[in-house]
Amino acid sequence: MQVIKLYLPMKDNDGNDLMSLHECFIDDTRTSASNRISGFTRYEAEGFWFDGEQAYKDDIKIYEFHVENAHFGEAYAYLWNQAYQLCKDMNQECIYLQANNDTQLVRYR
């Protein structure tokens, strides 16, 4: 098994709730990727961004997928594409996608 984590903000930079996009992501994953992804664990965390002397706090949900080795490539590609689209839809600078502790910043721009 290999581990893939996707870090998604709960609110956008203006404080608007993004949880409906989380629900769409879950529904899409259930219907589109069920042959490669059989489930996940989701938990909350806080992330912080620093800009000069100011710190910004983000409330995030971390989705942790345990994927069979045989399905890793397909699952990672699917989650990368989801991260790319969610980055656009959530109006984010980037979305963190982590595979076995190797983090990639997925950017829409």
Side-chain angles (χ1 to χ4, degrees):
M1 288 269 190
Q2 298 193 49
V3 178
I4 303 172
K5 293 180 183 178
L6 182 62
Y7 295 69
L8 298 178
M10 296 167 62
K11 294 183 179 182
D12 68 14
N13 295 333
D14 295 323
N16 299 310
D17 189 289
L18 297 173
M19 293 309 296
S20 64
L21 292 171
H22 286 248
E23 297 309 314
C24 290
F25 164 69
I26 292 168
D27 206 39
D28 189 59
T29 300
R30 180 184 56 79
T31 58
S32 300
S34 62
N35 62 335
R36 339 181 248 295
I37 296 173
S38 58
F40 60 87
T41 299
R42 179 173 84 171
Y43 46 96
E44 288 187 31
E46 294 178 333
F48 290 86
W49 296 92
F50 304 115
D51 182 16
E53 294 185 18
Q54 186 161 353
Y56 299 93
K57 180 181 149 249
D58 282 332
D59 291 320
I60 60 175
K61 298 267 189 188
I62 301 172
Y63 293 80
E64 183 175 289
F65 303 86
H66 292 258
V67 180
E68 292 182 31
N69 292 341
H71 299 297
F72 177 78
E74 289 178 86
Y76 186 83
Y78 170 80
L79 292 169
W80 190 95
N81 286 325
Q82 288 292 311
Y84 182 82
Q85 186 62 46
L86 286 164
C87 188
K88 174 187 173 194
D89 294 345
M90 293 178 165
N91 196 26
Q92 295 295 300
E93 179 72 25
C94 63
I95 298 284
Y96 279 54
L97 180 64
Q98 188 177 65
N100 301 319
N101 294 321
D102 182 24
T103 303
Q104 182 177 5
L105 302 178
V106 179
R107 299 180 189 278
Y108 176 71
R109 300 171 186 63

